[in-house]
Amino acid sequence: NMLNTNRQIRRPDLVLYNTTETIVFDFKFTATDTDIEKHKNQIQEYMTMLSQMGFAKVRGMVIYGLEKKAISV
Protein backbone atom coordinates (compact mmCIF):
# COMPACT_ATOMS: atom_id res chain seq x y z
CA ASN A 1 0.00 0.00 0.00
CA MET A 2 1.04 3.58 -0.64
CA LEU A 3 -0.30 6.85 0.73
CA ASN A 4 -0.64 9.76 -1.73
CA THR A 5 -0.34 13.46 -0.89
CA ASN A 6 -4.10 13.62 -0.18
CA ARG A 7 -3.62 10.81 2.37
CA GLN A 8 -5.54 8.34 0.21
CA ILE A 9 -4.40 4.71 0.10
CA ARG A 10 -3.27 3.43 -3.29
CA ARG A 11 -2.68 -0.26 -4.09
CA PRO A 12 -0.95 -1.16 -7.32
CA ASP A 13 -1.74 -4.70 -8.46
CA LEU A 14 1.92 -5.64 -8.91
CA VAL A 15 5.28 -3.89 -8.51
CA LEU A 16 8.46 -5.60 -9.69
CA TYR A 17 11.80 -3.96 -8.94
CA ASN A 18 15.52 -4.44 -8.71
CA THR A 19 18.39 -1.99 -8.25
CA THR A 20 18.15 -0.61 -11.81
CA GLU A 21 14.43 -0.45 -12.67
CA THR A 22 10.85 -0.66 -11.40
CA ILE A 23 7.74 -1.78 -13.27
CA VAL A 24 4.23 -1.22 -11.90
CA PHE A 25 1.36 -3.26 -13.35
CA ASP A 26 -2.37 -2.76 -13.19
CA PHE A 27 -4.66 -5.54 -14.40
CA LYS A 28 -8.06 -4.78 -15.94
CA PHE A 29 -10.64 -6.92 -17.70
CA THR A 30 -11.75 -4.67 -20.57
CA ALA A 31 -11.51 -1.03 -21.56
CA THR A 32 -13.40 1.64 -23.45
CA ASP A 33 -11.57 4.66 -24.84
CA THR A 34 -12.42 6.74 -21.76
CA ASP A 35 -11.36 3.90 -19.44
CA ILE A 36 -7.94 3.68 -21.07
CA GLU A 37 -7.10 7.30 -20.21
CA LYS A 38 -8.35 6.80 -16.66
CA HIS A 39 -6.25 3.65 -16.29
CA LYS A 40 -3.15 5.37 -17.69
CA ASN A 41 -3.62 8.22 -15.20
CA GLN A 42 -3.93 5.70 -12.37
CA ILE A 43 -0.64 4.03 -13.36
CA GLN A 44 1.00 7.43 -13.77
CA GLU A 45 0.05 8.27 -10.18
CA TYR A 46 1.62 5.01 -8.98
CA MET A 47 4.75 5.74 -11.02
CA THR A 48 5.07 9.23 -9.55
CA MET A 49 4.67 7.92 -6.02
CA LEU A 50 7.26 5.17 -6.54
CA SER A 51 9.73 7.68 -8.02
CA GLN A 52 9.23 9.97 -5.03
CA MET A 53 9.93 6.98 -2.77
CA GLY A 54 13.31 6.53 -4.49
CA PHE A 55 12.63 3.58 -6.80
CA ALA A 56 14.83 3.53 -9.92
CA LYS A 57 13.68 4.05 -13.55
CA VAL A 58 9.94 3.57 -12.97
CA ARG A 59 7.69 2.49 -15.83
CA GLY A 60 4.16 1.18 -15.96
CA MET A 61 1.89 -1.25 -17.80
CA VAL A 62 -1.87 -1.68 -17.95
CA ILE A 63 -2.81 -5.25 -18.84
CA TYR A 64 -6.27 -5.96 -20.29
CA GLY A 65 -6.88 -9.68 -19.72
CA LEU A 66 -10.01 -10.32 -21.75
CA GLU A 67 -8.73 -8.25 -24.66
CA LYS A 68 -5.25 -9.77 -24.44
CA LYS A 69 -3.48 -6.43 -24.80
CA ALA A 70 -1.05 -4.32 -22.81
CA ILE A 71 -0.46 -0.58 -22.80
CA SER A 72 2.88 0.86 -21.74
CA VAL A 73 2.70 4.07 -19.71
Side-chain angles (χ1 to χ4, degrees):
N1 294 340
M2 300 184 294
L3 197 61
N4 70 9
T5 56
N6 296 325
R7 302 197 53 80
Q8 298 169 319
I9 293 174
R10 296 291 182 244
R11 286 187 188 106
D13 290 332
L14 178 65
V15 178
L16 301 176
Y17 65 95
N18 61 27
T19 57
T20 59
E21 71 177 325
T22 305
I23 308 170
V24 58
F25 294 90
D26 200 35
F27 299 98
K28 305 292 185 187
F29 289 102
T30 61
T32 64
D33 289 340
T34 54
D35 288 337
I36 290 172
E37 282 305 311
K38 181 179 151 187
H39 298 158
K40 288 166 73 174
N41 289 338
Q42 181 182 11
I43 284 286
Q44 187 61 52
E45 180 183 18
Y46 296 155
M47 292 168 61
T48 300
M49 293 172 72
L50 289 165
S51 291
Q52 290 171 344
M53 293 166 60
F55 285 84
K57 192 181 171 194
V58 180
R59 52 192 182 109
M61 298 283 295
V62 182
I63 310 294
Y64 296 99
L66 294 179
E67 297 173 10
K68 297 180 182 170
K69 76 177 188 180
I71 296 176
S72 183
V73 179

